[in-house]
Amino acid sequence: MLQKEFLEMIRSYKIAIILLIFIVLTVMQPVMFKLLPQLLKDLSDLPNGSVIQIPTPDATTIMATSLGKFGVIGSIVVIIMTMGTIVNERLSGVASLVLVKPIGKSGYYWAKIISNSILVAISMLIAMAITAITTDLLFDSVDYYRILLATLIYIPYLILGVFLAVSASAIAKSPAVAGGIAILIHFSLSFVPTFMNQDDFVYRISPSKIIDDSINVIMEQSTDFWPAIGGISAIALVVGFIGLFCFKRAEN
């Protein structure tokens, strides 16, 4: 079943699209930092000979900014690209044909989540690797170990979007509704805890803290990221099983 999912991703160019979007969103930061002084000079009306001095950020700041800026947009991309995973096949009749085979709804459902999670994780690793190399070439040397660790910490945040989108796709009647439900829940889980005290237990296990933890790792600041990873994992599993329960009760 996983092989079928990956073959479908190749045929639909989903792998290429997600990877390209991830690379553009992350690499954009170091490139913009490099071009910013010249852009300001070209767009300004200062007299000839005037010099615009902008402090050059270090590689650590650039990588932390790239990961931080990616957060909200990246999760939206993940949800949009996966919100029709099940509902589209159900509407087209493909799901009924697949489920006739001895696969079962559970295998079909989890194959969607696992394949999309693998795609998102690998795409994020490649995108951050290319961004780190770009930053290394344009600015200072980067700490590749810390960038790898920060990316691995951040990936569960994106995978939560996969769980939400696929689960909503298993319940909703249209991709738009599935995407709306997933985005609303993801944003609620991400932004509501930001209004809490950072010492509160709910904030420490919330998805929003995982972004801060990832940035802190790049910035070489001490952080305890395990509670947030545990919280995201628990939320994802709960969402996943709720979606499976509803999917099993629904008609094909």
Side-chain angles (χ1 to χ4, degrees):
M1 193 63 195
L2 280 176
Q3 184 179 8
K4 168 194 170 296
E5 293 300 321
F6 285 118
L7 287 174
E8 180 60 32
M9 288 179 182
I10 294 173
R11 283 195 293 262
S12 64
Y13 303 104
K14 186 175 183 178
I15 293 177
I17 292 172
I18 288 185
L19 180 57
L20 180 61
I21 293 175
F22 278 23
I23 292 173
V24 170
L25 290 176
T26 52
V27 173
M28 185 169 56
Q29 293 302 316
V31 172
M32 286 300 298
F33 275 120
K34 188 66 176 180
L35 297 178
L36 184 59
Q38 186 62 43
L39 289 174
L40 291 177
K41 181 180 179 180
D42 293 341
L43 294 175
S44 65
D45 295 325
L46 295 175
N48 292 332
S50 299
V51 178
I52 300 177
Q53 292 184 337
I54 300 176
T56 302
D58 55 38
T60 300
T61 302
I62 293 171
M63 290 303 303
T65 303
S66 296
L67 192 58
K69 295 289 186 180
F70 183 85
V72 176
I73 300 176
S75 61
I76 292 176
V77 170
V78 169
I79 291 173
I80 290 176
M81 294 300 295
T82 53
M83 66 186 185
T85 302
I86 293 178
V87 67
N88 278 341
E89 292 192 356
R90 189 167 55 203
L91 293 174
S92 65
V94 174
S96 298
L97 295 175
V98 173
L99 293 173
V100 169
K101 302 176 182 180
I103 295 175
K105 286 189 172 183
S106 294
Y108 174 83
Y109 177 84
W110 288 115
K112 299 289 186 184
I113 288 180
I114 293 172
S115 59
N116 281 280
S117 297
I118 292 173
L119 172 59
V120 166
I122 293 177
S123 297
M124 190 62 193
L125 286 169
I126 293 174
M128 287 300 290
I130 293 176
T131 304
I133 294 172
T134 303
T135 303
D136 201 338
L137 293 173
L138 296 179
F139 296 93
D140 305 323
S141 60
V142 299
D143 189 334
Y144 287 94
Y145 168 73
R146 285 193 169 273
I147 293 170
L148 174 61
L149 179 58
T151 305
L152 292 174
I153 294 170
Y154 179 77
I155 283 174
Y157 179 81
L158 295 177
I159 291 179
L160 175 61
V162 173
F163 272 78
L164 287 168
V166 175
S167 300
S169 183
I171 299 170
K173 300 298 183 181
S174 72
V177 173
I181 293 172
I183 290 175
L184 179 62
I185 296 175
H186 201 287
F187 277 20
S188 298
L189 293 172
S190 299
F191 290 116
V192 171
T194 60
F195 297 99
M196 301 178 180
N197 190 296
Q198 294 190 359
D199 294 327
D200 288 347
F201 175 75
V202 174
Y203 172 78
R204 293 178 63 242
I205 64 170
S206 67
S208 58
K209 187 175 183 295
I210 207 73
I211 300 177
D212 295 336
D213 289 336
S214 301
I215 293 174
N216 287 339
V217 168
I218 294 178
M219 299 296 292
E220 301 182 9
Q221 298 176 0
S222 60
T223 184
D224 183 11
F225 51 80
W226 289 112
I229 291 179
I232 286 181
S233 300
I235 294 171
L237 288 175
V238 169
V239 169
F241 281 111
I242 290 175
L244 178 60
F245 174 79
C246 296
F247 183 52
K248 283 185 172 181
R249 290 177 62 88
E251 296 292 333
N252 293 345

